[in-house]
Amino acid sequence: MPLPFLTADRVFEATDDVPLPYDDRDRWRRPYRPGPWRVGVAALALLLASFVLFAAVIIAATAEPASAAVVFALALVVIAGALRLLRMGVWVSARGLRHVDFLTTRTASWEQVVSVRTVQQPVRWLGLPRTVQGQALLLGHQGQDAATPTPLMTTHNADFLGRAEAFDRAADSVEAWAEEYGPR
């Protein structure tokens, strides 16, 4: 039985020149992978949500459906929080730069971006009030005070804690996007 998908003697068609999905510059993409801290916390939240869903099923079988609905809604809130946690970060496209926080999303078109630069400064450790010395990728955009640029990502946030090389690659990638698409 011939298996044509495993052989190298087939003729390549002209449709093989279709660009790959990651080549689409108009799609929003994160120029780095989420860090282990962020993924670990989201995994624990989803594990908690599975237990809460199981409790909702038990409550629905033994008690009132209204109380089961409340527990089910709690599980949905935990799942939505875990998914939002995984979505957080810096996203880029040909249209601009997007900074996604847990509750807010700020988008700046490349025409509004004045500067994207990496600086050495005190940064927050895992988003907590404690600060440590580290690097931050700062965004300066029009209509903003030049003395207080927005920190996009730091070496001590949930994506880059303990991964300095990954921060350098991600910062270089965002700076390259700003150089390519920013105002000239």
Side-chain angles (χ1 to χ4, degrees):
M1 174 173 76
L3 300 173
F5 58 88
L6 294 178
T7 62
D9 60 349
R10 66 182 173 96
V11 177
F12 290 101
E13 299 174 5
T15 60
D16 289 342
D17 293 336
V18 175
L20 296 172
Y22 59 84
D23 286 338
D24 185 10
R25 305 292 248 170
D26 290 329
R27 290 185 59 193
W28 290 101
R29 71 183 76 203
R30 186 183 350 218
Y32 57 91
R33 293 184 306 202
W37 287 91
R38 185 174 313 281
V39 172
V41 169
L44 288 176
L46 290 173
L47 181 65
L48 173 68
S50 71
F51 288 122
V52 174
L53 284 172
F54 185 65
V57 169
I58 291 174
I59 291 171
T62 60
E64 296 178 9
S67 58
V70 169
V71 175
F72 182 73
L74 176 67
L76 289 179
V77 168
V78 172
I79 291 170
L83 293 177
R84 184 64 182 187
L85 184 67
L86 289 173
R87 184 104 173 119
M88 289 173 57
V90 177
W91 296 75
V92 293
S93 80
R95 291 175 277 174
L97 186 135
R98 181 173 286 170
H99 185 228
V100 179
D101 284 331
F102 192 72
L103 297 175
T104 61
T105 299
R106 292 183 304 269
T107 304
S109 67
W110 290 118
E111 290 79 29
Q112 296 173 333
V113 173
V114 175
S115 66
V116 176
R117 65 185 190 285
T118 305
V119 297
Q120 188 85 16
Q121 70 177 30
V123 296
R124 296 173 70 182
W125 184 77
L126 287 177
L128 299 172
R130 178 180 173 216
T131 60
V132 294
Q133 192 64 26
Q135 291 182 348
L137 183 68
L138 300 179
L139 168 69
H141 56 84
Q142 294 174 356
Q144 178 188 28
D145 185 18
T148 59
T150 306
L152 294 175
M153 56 188 176
T154 67
T155 53
H156 289 78
N157 68 6
D159 287 324
F160 301 110
L161 186 63
R163 299 173 52 214
E165 315 84 39
F167 173 81
D168 292 337
R169 283 192 309 271
D172 290 344
S173 177
V174 173
E175 289 172 355
W177 276 83
E179 174 103 10
E180 182 176 348
Y181 290 104
R184 304 205 193 278

